[in-house]
Amino acid sequence: MSKGAALAVLGLAAAACASARGVEPVPIRAADFRPAQIRQPAFLVRLTFAGQRSDREREALPVEYEGALLEGLNARAVLARDVQVVAGRNAKLDARAALERARALGADHAIVVDVRVSADEPIFCRGSRRPFRAPATVWSQSVQVLRTSDGATRLTIADDAGLAITDWDVDCDDPRASRRLPTGEAVASAVARLLTRVVGP
């Protein structure tokens, strides 16, 4: 086994052990990967819903996510070759198909994103003196970055590795000052967190 392959196996094993112990997993990243390498990507995003959502929300949220993604890429001077957002129970997320489409479009990377919108009642400010629980919408996201030239996986971030956000702006010093975010702000926050990790701030 080559040195590079051995390091990759060790990295995967470490990530698996971390998950088993309940520790937040770390992204799996190629040693030479840098966000600045992504200049003309093609995005495939699947957005799914857990729990009850109105028909209006199911139609509006994918459009809002796509809009926030395009705006975030533009702000970072990243010219996307393609952005596809698919939604619903039958929406498929095929990384190989996304890679082939990215190649056909002349993109340098295929970025495959899985987004899950769910209702929960998490505990906020858990480590503070004033923890509190509140109903929230949780945006969980995972991402895989594939280089189109050779299909190599450059970055993988699981949905429990720091990409999840809730629709709350929390003040742990004064929980009563915390506020529920409008949907548009929550979507923008989720997209900003994703892009910062993948293409840079």
Side-chain angles (χ1 to χ4, degrees), residues 72-188:
L73 290 168
N74 183 59
R76 291 165 173 79
V78 175
L79 178 63
R81 290 280 183 161
D82 188 45
V83 173
Q84 280 189 308
V85 179
V86 296
R89 295 176 182 174
N90 298 322
K92 294 181 179 180
L93 197 67
D94 187 332
R96 290 296 123 186
L99 179 61
E100 291 305 316
R101 180 176 174 83
R103 283 176 176 155
L105 294 168
D108 50 39
H109 292 80
I111 301 177
V112 183
V113 185
D114 201 8
V115 183
R116 183 172 179 268
V117 184
S118 60
D120 199 359
E121 196 168 326
I123 298 174
F124 294 99
C125 305
R126 191 184 293 270
S128 74
R129 284 184 276 180
R130 297 182 179 182
F132 68 97
R133 186 186 294 273
T137 298
V138 180
W139 291 75
S140 303
Q141 305 176 104
S142 62
V143 63
Q144 184 179 19
V145 177
L146 303 170
R147 186 168 55 198
T148 55
S149 61
D150 57 4
T153 299
R154 308 294 287 154
L155 176 68
T156 300
I157 305 177
D159 60 5
D160 52 355
L163 290 181
I165 67 110
T166 70
D167 58 347
W168 276 90
D169 179 12
V170 175
D171 186 335
C172 292
D173 293 325
D174 182 7
R176 289 177 297 181
S178 301
R179 69 182 183 96
R180 193 94 183 250
L181 297 175
T183 300
E185 286 187 39
V187 172

